[in-house]
Amino acid sequence: MPPASLKRGGARNFRERPSWQISQRQGRMIRDRAFDAWYADMPMSRFITLAWGMAGIEPVDAVKATGHFVSMARSWMRHHGYRMPWVWV
């Protein structure tokens, strides 16, 4: 088992092991958050694919890169007076 510093969440979810699908529970959670955004009058209207591998970023570093992207996007949106509902898959 990898050291705690490599764990990313979940019993079998590790940073060095990329995943290729979401569970039924995760799919329901995404759907529910999309409805939450809709009812808050902020329908999700964009889809962004972050292909870190094509940028030369290793899977082990992808979570950190995604977190940095979301932080920067949220900051930009806030600066321009927008709120940013989002779902990370």
Side-chain angles (χ1 to χ4, degrees), residues 6-68:
L6 291 179
K7 289 193 74 158
R8 185 172 72 185
R12 293 180 212 93
N13 197 5
F14 302 103
R15 290 191 319 197
E16 75 278 1
R17 184 179 60 87
S19 59
W20 301 104
Q21 63 189 21
I22 60 172
S23 69
Q24 188 174 32
R25 179 180 170 275
Q26 291 167 323
R28 283 191 205 110
M29 289 174 59
I30 293 167
R31 178 202 60 204
D32 293 347
R33 297 304 70 81
F35 277 121
D36 290 346
W38 179 270
Y39 293 131
D41 201 27
M42 295 186 302
M44 295 189 186
S45 60
R46 301 292 183 269
F47 181 91
I48 299 171
T49 298
L50 302 172
W52 295 125
M54 295 182 78
I57 296 175
E58 296 296 323
V60 72
D61 298 320
V63 171
K64 187 175 182 178
T66 301
H68 186 66

